[in-house]
Amino acid sequence: MGNSSSSGNKFHSSTIPAMTRKAGVSSPEELKKFVEDAGERLLVVDVRNPDASVEPGDQKSLAVAALPSDTNRPKAVSLIFDRESNSMPLPEVDPDTPIITHCGGGGRGQKAKDFLEKNGFTNVLNGGGPKETECWNEFGDK
């Protein structure tokens, strides 16, 4: 009697990422098309900070996905976004290079996107980060 209607309160798993995605984070579909269109020109800019005393929240996402290196994520570079100065180093690429910014979940990724655009970069998306698994699946291995 009372057991049959319990499924009415459940969320479908496909609706949860869209509900929790931070403002400015591109959809998985946008990211997939962006990556395909970019091809070899794609640059992924990881703005996370490995220093736990500065960004303790980054430690969780770093455990899931390490910072770029020569052997890990060859199309990615680590350019730390500094909250205090609201800035970051600029990538040494043409301003029209297709760039995906990310942090752990998208907050600093959006700040980085805005900063790059203010500095003349014209083809930038915010990919969120490892916490946004559907988005991350489109570019996290790049």
Side-chain angles (χ1 to χ4, degrees), residues 22 25 45-49 55 57-62 64-65 83 101-110 126-133 135-136 139:
K22 290 188 178 181
V25 174
V45 175
D46 187 333
V47 301
R48 296 176 296 168
N49 192 328
E55 291 287 351
D58 281 347
Q59 297 309 300
K60 288 180 186 175
S61 71
L62 288 167
V64 173
R83 290 183 197 262
T101 61
H102 80 85
C103 55
R108 271 171 296 141
Q110 185 61 38
N126 175 7
K131 293 178 188 175
E132 298 287 342
T133 54
C135 296
W136 184 253
F139 72 91

Side-chain angles (χ1 to χ4, degrees), residues 16-86:
I16 292 172
M19 291 172 29
T20 60
R21 193 175 301 134
K22 290 188 178 181
V25 174
S26 299
S27 72
E29 296 79 19
E30 289 173 300
L31 289 162
K32 181 177 182 152
K33 181 172 179 359
F34 191 81
V35 169
E36 287 172 358
D37 291 348
E40 291 300 311
R41 295 191 66 222
L42 179 68
L43 177 66
V44 177
V45 175
D46 187 333
V47 301
R48 296 176 296 168
N49 192 328
D51 185 343
S53 69
V54 177
E55 291 287 351
D58 281 347
Q59 297 309 300
K60 288 180 186 175
S61 71
L62 288 167
V64 173
L67 289 172
S69 70
D70 290 342
T71 58
N72 180 47
R73 301 173 52 212
K75 292 188 175 295
V77 295
S78 176
L79 299 173
I80 297 168
F81 187 87
D82 182 350
R83 290 183 197 262
E84 284 188 29
S85 67
N86 206 30

Side-chain angles (χ1 to χ4, degrees), residues 11-18 134:
F11 288 104
H12 293 173
S13 63
S14 63
T15 61
I16 292 172
E134 288 184 352

